[in-house]
Amino acid sequence: MNTHPAHRAPDEHARAALRRGARGFSAEDIRRSYLDFFVSKNHRVVPSAPLVPQDPTLLFTSAGMVQFKSYYADPEAAPYRTAASLQKCLRAGGKQSDLENVGRTLRHHTFFEMLGNFSFGDYFKKESIEYAWELVVDVWRFDRERLWISIYEEDQEAFDLWARHIGFPERRIVRLGKKDNFWGPVGDTGVCGPSSEIYYDTGSKRGCARAECKPGCDCDRYIEFWNLVFPQFFLTERGVYDALPKPGIDTGMGLERVAFILQEAQDNFHTDLFLPIRAAIESALPAGTDRAKASMAVNVAADHIRALCFAMTEGLIPSNEGRGYILRRLLRRSLTKMHPFGIRAPFLHAGVDSVASVMAVRYPEIGERAAFIKKAIHAEEERFLVTLEQGLERLESVISRCTREKNRVMPGEDAFVLYDTYGFPPELTSELAMDAGLAVDMDAFAAAMRAQKERARSGGFHVGADVPGARPFRELRKSGDTTFLGYETLSCESWCAALRIGEGGGGGRTAEGEGPDRLLELIFEETVFYPESGGQVGDTGAVTCAEARFEVSGVRAQNGKIVHLIPLGAGRADGEDGGEALERLLAGAKCTLSVNPVLRSATARNHTATHLLHAALRSVLGGHVVQAGSFVEPGRLRFDFNHFQALSREELSAVEAFVNQAILKNVELEHRIMKYAEAVRAGVIALFGEKYGEDVRVIEVEGISRELCGGTHVARTGDIGLFLVRQEGSVSSGVRRIEALTGTGAMDYIHHVIGQREALAAVLRTSPEETAGKVRALIAEADELKKRLESRESKIVGDRIGEAVHSARAIGRFSFATLEMESGDIAALRAAGDSLREKLERGVGLLLLAASKKPMALVVVSEDVVREGGLNAQTLTAHLSRALSLRGGGKPHMAQVGLDSRNDFDRVVSETIRFLKEAE
């Protein structure tokens, strides 16, 4: 037997959560035990980086090492030498996309959690392999006979460590090529190295039945669950692999795959990470649906709703560009996969609450954003379902035609029609065509896309043409981009250039974020209405034309035009058909556009306050603080920023004081247009990920703040009046959020708080100034009463333990005692169990806690019986679990059994007596 350090007894703390038996492993148990294990190995636990990375070359964070990658080339720059993390990952676009595999296999996901441990010039292969073996075999107790190892074909060092040092059977070590077991570099040059992967053999029934099936096969038999990467080279421009002076370690383990193994589940989708989500999705299936046939579609939807929730929690929404396009693909793929099973109404949004519940322990922010996410997803579902049925019919027609003509390639022009008219992403069309045995001519599709863009540039303007079912705008006058006059004035006259009447505005938003039933959209040559952008809500106000007045509920920008959103019914001259009469009215005379001055001023106060807040945070916390998002509306402001911990009360007070001092100084704001490169050189703050033109607008508060910004602002800082932080909290790991009020909003809040304080003082029968002292006194009094009660209960329990020992019955060579506790908690139950166990001689005790929501039984065995071997609390609990279909587990001296009702305890007592008799 090997005796190297990897085989010593596992750390007790790392295993504490995992003693309930195989099916007792929860995903949170796995997360906690993994991180605890590496803490015991002197690793720093580093929070997950956001899904939306700062690296502009990445769509999403796709691996744990993303936030550390610079440390491998320069370990001295790392703030720590070893680290462990639980990283949120999304692989649904780009080189590492798993999107098309979701639903085709039982092990791939778009969103997943990656457990990883890392070394930056500290330990290397030997320790990495030792740690992996110790955790998998000693702590998690995997069946080592079902483990396989793959290594890079030329990595003899890794082979020797597994075979000679660990003692792993050589016949289950597989050498694979670069495709499978060599990582990097990310570009043409850079850090790279071999890897070693640990596989779990799920059995021949899941395999492809080919004789050559082994780790690396694409079937579901061998599940790779941990990849140990050894970054030890730097590939130069000459193609030479130079050895790094300080090689590192980068490992990645899929939480979902480990949960599948440890929970002995049917597959990843039948673990505790997915079962409640699958149930929510399945509830949408019509009665009588063959659930087995629908299983893969349900898996796809369950996977994709997780990815949508996590991405949208970080501020993304489905759209036609960039990361938002990936979200739209996920949503539409889910609806398309479920369509054959009779789903004709929005259903995906119903899974949001299940995702929030399953992930609540680690990711409470999903629950905080659940209402917004559900509303946004529901709206997306409604839009796509309008055209999905027709699109699928069109696709089926195209597939049938290709089959008749024996053409195995679908024309790209047909794929373009599906995209342009029915909203089918080309990747979705390609996947559906593949199911029918066809490829898609993507070159021809790209050519059709280019031709459409060229027509758009040379022809008329179409706002919202990207939204399925949106009507084109009716052009009233030839015009270029809308000229914005709203920085200088709040009212102007202008000709209407185009209009559209549609259901929900073809994807437009009102100020509340919802499309009305029917919406009039107007484009003017000039406007004073600021469109929603940069985190600032759009203006509201009125458009007057002749005798008609239209209330503008929101404004958006698209393709250089500013679109004014008007719920039909608000104007007096829209007419029932909303068509020709409106067109004649708007074409016949200039309109007067007027912004609501009260709401504009309130929004401006809050927007300028965000600039001052940004400066305050950088001053108080440090220059590392960077804006990660903001939202500005008349009633409040929200500011997200990168920071590693919660702000203390003193820090928040300092931030508030900084902003209010800037307000008291009444500094005039300067607005000027500069070249982007010049502004950056001058130190003006630009937001990461924002796209700026050559000319940019700079907002400066002299001596305090300089930022690139296109929003509306006050003339002087004194116009803000007052700044008040209402709350500070976490958005996600490494991102904090401050919500604040200004001006009249801040004063209203202060009056509300004062009123609440006075009301509390009245209830406590004291003055407002003495409220805190009175509350503290009441808490101290309650604590003292609680101590007295606990002392009295402890004495009562002690007396009852003595009675239980005195009345213990002899069963063969054992004494057997029972004790029922009507009050107390689990901690009190365990304390009583310890006391009973110490007093029993050659004894076995059963204790019942009936006070909790679900009764709990505790099994205790005295030290002398445990030392003899053969009988202990673990073995007895295992027998009770099997015999009575209960769940339990614990240590040799003490174990617990979950009960469904009080009557179960009587069953446990009877079965224990029978077991003890047979033990003779």
Side-chain angles (χ1 to χ4, degrees), residues 699-754:
I699 304 297
E700 180 173 2
V701 182
E702 187 177 359
I704 299 171
S705 168
R706 286 190 299 172
E707 295 192 24
L708 301 184
C709 182
T712 61
H713 291 270
V714 298
R716 307 182 72 93
T717 58
D719 297 339
I720 299 171
L722 175 66
F723 174 84
L724 177 68
V725 173
R726 184 170 181 180
Q727 64 182 32
E728 188 271 346
S730 172
V731 176
S732 60
S733 181
V735 179
R736 308 295 300 177
R737 170 172 294 169
I738 282 179
E739 294 192 17
L741 304 169
T742 65
T744 55
M747 289 302 302
D748 290 343
Y749 182 71
I750 289 172
H751 290 149
H752 170 74
V753 171
I754 291 173

Side-chain angles (χ1 to χ4, degrees), residues 563-622:
V563 185
H564 304 69
L565 311 179
I566 299 168
L568 283 180
R572 294 194 297 270
D574 51 341
E576 288 299 320
D577 61 2
E580 294 181 2
L582 268 175
E583 191 172 321
R584 288 194 300 272
L585 175 70
L586 293 167
K590 278 189 171 183
C591 297
T592 300
L593 286 69
S594 302
V595 169
N596 183 318
V598 175
L599 296 182
R600 164 68 83 83
S601 295
T603 302
R605 286 195 294 269
N606 285 331
H607 200 151
T608 303
T610 64
H611 287 224
L612 300 180
L613 174 58
H614 195 183
L617 289 167
R618 291 172 65 86
S619 174
V620 172
L621 302 179

Side-chain angles (χ1 to χ4, degrees), residues 40-63:
S40 75
K41 306 301 182 186
N42 299 316
H43 286 59
R44 168 85 66 89
V45 174
V46 179
S48 171
L51 272 185
V52 181
Q54 291 192 354
D55 187 339
T57 65
L58 300 175
L59 268 174
F60 298 103
T61 298
S62 58

Side-chain angles (χ1 to χ4, degrees), residues 170-487:
E170 294 185 18
R171 65 181 181 82
R172 297 209 307 273
I173 302 177
V174 180
R175 294 179 184 265
L176 298 175
K178 277 193 173 182
K179 177 178 176 294
D180 293 290
N181 278 106
F182 197 93
W183 173 84
V186 175
D188 294 330
T189 64
V191 175
C192 55
S195 69
S196 177
E197 295 172 312
I198 308 178
Y199 288 79
Y200 186 81
D201 183 359
T202 64
S204 58
K205 291 182 179 180
R206 292 176 179 264
C208 57
R210 293 182 298 177
E212 64 272 20
C213 183
K214 63 181 181 179
C217 183
D218 288 334
C219 72
D220 280 331
R221 174 171 179 175
Y222 296 98
I223 302 297
E224 178 263 306
F225 65 90
W226 202 350
N227 188 11
L228 315 179
V229 180
F230 312 125
Q232 62 186 102
F233 300 116
F234 189 96
L235 180 61
T236 68
E237 294 178 352
R238 305 187 311 278
V240 176
Y241 289 93
D242 287 341
L244 292 174
K246 292 184 177 181
I249 289 296
D250 158 28
T251 84
M253 172 192 292
L255 173 66
E256 292 76 7
R257 296 185 183 184
V258 177
F260 150 63
I261 297 168
L262 290 178
Q263 293 177 18
E264 299 178 6
Q266 178 180 331
D267 52 53
N268 290 14
F269 294 96
H270 287 79
T271 64
D272 64 341
L273 286 165
F274 278 98
L275 282 173
I277 304 170
R278 289 187 93 258
I281 300 299
E282 282 186 324
S283 67
L285 292 170
T289 301
D290 187 331
R291 301 259 170 142
K293 289 184 178 179
S295 183
M296 277 299 184
V298 172
N299 289 347
V300 168
D303 172 273
H304 291 2
I305 188 60
R306 290 205 324 162
L308 286 164
C309 285
F310 274 89
M312 295 176 73
T313 295
E314 295 197 10
L316 300 181
I317 58 172
S319 69
N320 266 12
E321 295 182 351
R323 295 167 176 135
Y325 176 69
I326 301 299
L327 302 195
R328 182 160 283 171
R329 279 183 63 193
L330 292 171
L331 188 145
R332 295 185 175 183
R333 186 172 187 258
S334 300
L335 268 61
T336 305
K337 293 292 186 182
M338 293 287 282
H339 185 272
F341 302 99
I343 301 296
R344 300 294 183 269
F347 72 93
L348 196 60
H349 65 282
V352 173
D353 287 335
S354 294
V355 176
S357 176
V358 169
M359 296 295 184
V361 173
R362 290 278 169 174
Y363 310 105
E365 61 269 22
I366 296 178
E368 295 167 6
R369 296 279 288 168
F372 163 77
I373 295 170
K374 282 191 286 187
K375 183 182 292 186
I377 289 177
H378 187 271
E380 279 284 320
E381 290 185 275
E382 286 187 318
R383 292 191 188 105
F384 186 53
L385 286 170
V386 170
T387 58
L388 175 58
E389 191 85 31
Q390 295 173 323
L392 287 172
E393 290 175 2
R394 175 65 181 257
L395 176 63
E396 186 61 38
S397 174
V398 173
I399 290 173
S400 297
R401 188 188 73 223
C402 290
T403 302
R404 287 194 310 271
E405 298 173 355
K406 297 183 179 180
N407 183 4
R408 308 310 299 169
V409 179
M410 180 188 295
E413 294 78 7
D414 288 310
F416 175 75
V417 171
L418 286 166
Y419 169 75
D420 191 48
T421 306
Y422 303 102
F424 277 42
E427 298 85 357
L428 177 59
T429 299
S430 180
E431 185 177 349
L432 295 173
M434 187 187 304
D435 291 340
L438 302 178
V440 175
D441 186 346
M442 296 306 295
D443 290 338
F445 172 85
M449 282 287 290
R450 288 193 296 270
Q452 185 207 48
K453 291 179 180 179
E454 185 59 36
R455 287 193 300 272
R457 279 193 294 268
S458 59
F461 169 68
H462 297 272
V463 175
D466 58 311
V467 179
R471 301 176 184 179
F473 271 73
R474 174 69 173 172
E475 192 173 75
L476 303 182
R477 306 172 69 86
K478 291 287 185 183
S479 68
D481 292 348
T482 305
T483 301
F484 179 66
L485 305 176
Y487 293 138

Side-chain angles (χ1 to χ4, degrees), residues 498-525:
L499 84 159
R500 175 171 69 188
I501 303 173
E503 301 295 330
R509 292 178 68 246
T510 67
E512 290 76 28
E514 300 177 0
D517 290 337
R518 286 176 64 76
L519 198 69
L520 170 64
E521 297 178 275
L522 301 179
I523 299 171
F524 294 91
E525 292 180 341

